[in-house]
């Protein structure tokens, strides 16, 4: 079933479990964990489960915490200020990021972004269109 590689390990495990004779060349519990759980020697199942539970807890908290904070700040003047200034801040960061490569693609993308923003007054549409256009023109 498992081939020659695992045959000796199963025999040792069977011998250790049936006779309960201490053998100094290997540990029965280590062979059991390697064969059943696929863990390397020196790493126990309890250690692995505790690490996975810690990772899972941190992941859930990091996904839940922002929603909890926003629900407590709803109606706050700080959140209103952020909602008004963030689109402009994102566009400013994109302009500063692309400024060192001052070229015709840069100028054309900025002009289209500004015109689209003045015409539609949609920050999401302006940012996505400007970024996409700039990346398209830079890769042509």
């Amino acid at each position: 079933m498992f081939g020659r590689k695992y045959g000796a390990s199963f025999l040792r495990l069977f011998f250790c479990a049936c006779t309960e004779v201490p053998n100094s060349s290997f540990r029965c519990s280590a062979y059991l964990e390697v064969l059943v759980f696929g863990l390397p020697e020196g790493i126990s199942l309890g250690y692995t489960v505790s690490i996975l539970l810690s990772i899972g807890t941190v992941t859930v908290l990091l996904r839940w915490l922002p929603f909890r904070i926003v629900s407590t700040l709803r109606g706050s003047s700080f959140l209103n200020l952020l909602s008004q200034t963030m689109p402009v801040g994102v566009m400013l960061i994109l302009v500063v990021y692309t400024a060192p490569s001052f070229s015709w693609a840069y100028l054309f993308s900025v002009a289209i972004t500004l015109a689209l923003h003045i015409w539609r007054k949609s920050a999401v549409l302006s940012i996505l269109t400007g970024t996409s256009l700039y990346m398209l023109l830079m890769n042509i």
Side-chain angles (χ1 to χ4, degrees):
M1 179 170 153
F2 291 101
R4 293 180 181 221
K5 181 177 179 182
Y6 296 109
S9 298
F10 275 105
L11 289 176
R12 287 182 189 153
L13 180 64
F14 179 75
F15 175 76
C16 186
C18 293
T19 60
E20 298 180 9
V21 175
N23 189 345
S24 60
S25 66
F26 66 92
R27 294 183 318 182
C28 295
S29 62
Y31 275 103
L32 180 63
E33 287 182 356
V34 167
L35 294 175
V36 176
F37 302 111
L39 298 173
E41 188 174 341
I43 297 180
S44 68
L45 180 62
Y47 178 75
T48 305
V49 169
S50 67
I51 293 294
L52 289 175
L53 285 175
S54 300
I55 291 170
T57 303
V58 169
T59 301
V60 168
L61 284 175
L62 286 176
R63 291 173 186 249
W64 172 76
L65 200 57
F67 292 105
R68 181 71 182 146
I69 290 173
V70 168
S71 68
T72 59
L73 291 176
R74 198 166 304 275
S76 124
S77 61
F78 177 70
L79 207 58
N80 289 335
L81 176 70
L82 280 180
S83 68
Q84 292 172 357
T85 58
M86 282 299 285
V88 176
V90 169
M91 289 185 7
L92 181 65
I93 288 171
L94 288 171
V95 167
V96 169
Y97 175 74
T98 57
S101 62
F102 198 71
S103 64
W104 66 273
Y106 173 76
L107 290 175
F108 186 69
S109 298
V110 168
I112 294 296
T113 303
L114 287 174
L116 191 60
H117 191 68
I118 290 169
W119 176 50
R120 300 296 288 179
K121 302 218 185 307
S122 172
V124 174
L125 181 66
S126 304
I127 291 171
L128 289 177
T129 304
T131 304
S132 301
L133 182 64
Y134 176 74
M135 295 310 289
L136 179 75
L137 292 174
M138 289 304 288
N139 289 316
I140 289 180

